[in-house]
Amino acid sequence: MRLEPMTEDEYKPWRAEAEAHYAQSVAASGQSAEAAARNAADTYAQLLPEEFTTPGHHFWYAYDGERRVGFLWVKVTRETAFVYNVAVEEDVRRQGYGRAIMLAAEHWCHANALTRIGLHVFAHNAGARALYEQLGFTETGRNMAKDL
């Protein structure tokens, strides 16, 4: 697994697709599609006020040989990396690439003297939760909601 930094030109279409996917995940968590789209737009604008050049944020595409298989977005704060987004291309899912991307992220963290890696996973994403637990991630908090 090889992580290649995104270029600014690659970032632009990635951003649009990533924000739309985040909106779908938010909607699957119980918000209306319209509210989820607003939430996603606000979240991305807040997290990336300078877009591709926002300090501390790193964006990569993941490759198996010459085949692009996914992407990774990490923010570094002091000694900690936080995975904001990781995904595997739809046509190569369930083939170990998610695990390989996360292990490549850990390798990058070690190489950059980072001592902790965190992430958020939506409760409805059982496959991702299982993968992260297999990789040694432990739950550090829990968000809860009640529809009224």
Side-chain angles (χ1 to χ4, degrees), residues 100-111:
I101 292 169
M102 290 303 297
L103 291 173
E106 286 186 31
H107 178 76
W108 183 86
C109 289
H110 284 295

Side-chain angles (χ1 to χ4, degrees), residues 16-106:
E17 185 177 326
E19 186 176 316
H21 184 264
Y22 180 70
Q24 290 172 347
S25 292
V26 172
S29 295
Q31 288 188 14
S32 71
E34 296 80 19
R38 283 191 308 273
N39 179 320
D42 291 347
T43 297
Y44 272 65
Q46 184 179 38
L47 290 173
L48 298 168
E50 297 175 43
E51 297 283 349
F52 182 73
T53 60
T54 302
H57 291 263
H58 303 272
F59 308 92
W60 297 275
Y61 277 118
Y63 291 87
D64 180 5
E66 296 305 310
R67 171 75 159 91
R68 189 167 81 192
V69 295
F71 66 82
L72 176 66
W73 166 24
V74 170
K75 180 183 182 191
V76 174
T77 306
R78 293 184 286 289
E79 299 85 31
T80 300
F82 189 86
V83 176
Y84 272 106
N85 202 342
V86 58
V88 173
E89 300 289 340
E90 194 168 337
D91 63 326
V92 293
R93 289 185 182 154
R94 312 281 312 150
Q95 296 179 33
Y97 288 119
R99 174 183 302 280
I101 292 169
M102 290 303 297
L103 291 173
E106 286 186 31

